[in-house]
Amino acid sequence: MKLPLIALTMGDVSGIGPQLLDVLCSGSEIFQICRPVVYGNAAVLRRASQQSGSQLQIREIGSVSDSLEFRMGIANCIDRGNSNVVEAVPCQIDARSGQGAYDYLVSAIDDCLSGELDAITTAPLNKESLRLAGIDYPGHTEILADRCGVADYGMMLYLPHGAAIQSPAGLGIVHTTLHTSIASVPGLLSTDAIFEKIRLISGLMQKMGVAQPRVAVCALNPHAGEHGLFGDEEARIITPAVEQAIQSGLDATGPLPADTLIRRAVRGEFDAVVAMYHDQGHIPFKLLGFDQAVNITLGLPIVRTSPSHGTAFDIAWSDTVPETRGIIEATKAAARLSQHQAHR
């Protein structure tokens, strides 16, 4: 069987993305995982190669149906963005970078939806650069959901099995609310939304090899509300969602206090966690494995993964060799999930 054909989108060219792709395609590891195709600006990728001295050979192609070569030191690059992205200022918020990141992503999404690709792994974009370009999305997740035409979706962080994570298939955490203010979270929670996240993450962890995923659901309030002392969202909203999940045949537990739940999960008691808001899940996962945490978008008809870190303006376009563990783990997860599709 052929290795999966995976798009590597360049993300924000002012950030670390071009350097990540230069390091990946200059080495051998990525080619043991997949057949990679870069979606980004070829001139920017050449600039990254010149800075690193990698001597990466960049082959500009029109589509994945062209004659491609997959081996160390070669990058097949599809560039369907605006050429002015090469003028974007490194390590700064720039509308040209935002527009480019959007164009590369949308191009890869469309090719994946048409069946030309098996999966997408995205380098980071910058939300402020997106906004400067007039693109009104909070980030990758919302662009993907809109382009794919789905209403029920979620952002999941995943850590593979290892020293920190004892569950054999790794540990996933999905967020019921995502890019929104803390003040708005209680009003955005609903029983249906929480149930849907339980269902989505259970299905994803099944694809990762868990026959009956054990899903733990976080409480919103400290000590799970302390029987209403600190809030009633647990009894009024979260518990009914857990009960609905159990009635539908899912293995769900909660709501549980988030501080002790995460500890139990990393020790192998659960395979997946449903968080109520962004930082409830992101902080412990990035603390446990910042360099290897993977972002997976749930509920899409296509596979999309990414490293969990951002554009790294503080070290991008410097002599610092970028840490590629995150994007390697993201590509591994994409390849694993794409096994449920027919490879080209």
Side-chain angles (χ1 to χ4, degrees), residues 83-98:
S83 61
N84 73 359
V85 75
V86 299
E87 302 165 6
V89 181
C91 307
Q92 292 185 25
I93 296 164
D94 193 303
R96 292 164 293 197
S97 300

Side-chain angles (χ1 to χ4, degrees), residues 45-88:
L45 190 55
R46 286 193 186 94
R47 187 191 304 162
S49 174
Q50 289 166 1
Q51 177 164 316
S52 69
S54 68
Q55 299 185 329
L56 181 67
Q57 179 185 340
I58 298 157
R59 302 177 68 242
E60 297 184 55
I61 60 174
S63 73
V64 293
S65 62
D66 291 355
S67 178
L68 307 182
E69 190 174 354
F70 300 102
R71 62 180 173 85
M72 182 176 70
I74 291 180
N76 300 289
C77 184
I78 294 177
D79 183 0
R80 299 180 186 140
N82 194 314
S83 61
N84 73 359
V85 75
V86 299
E87 302 165 6

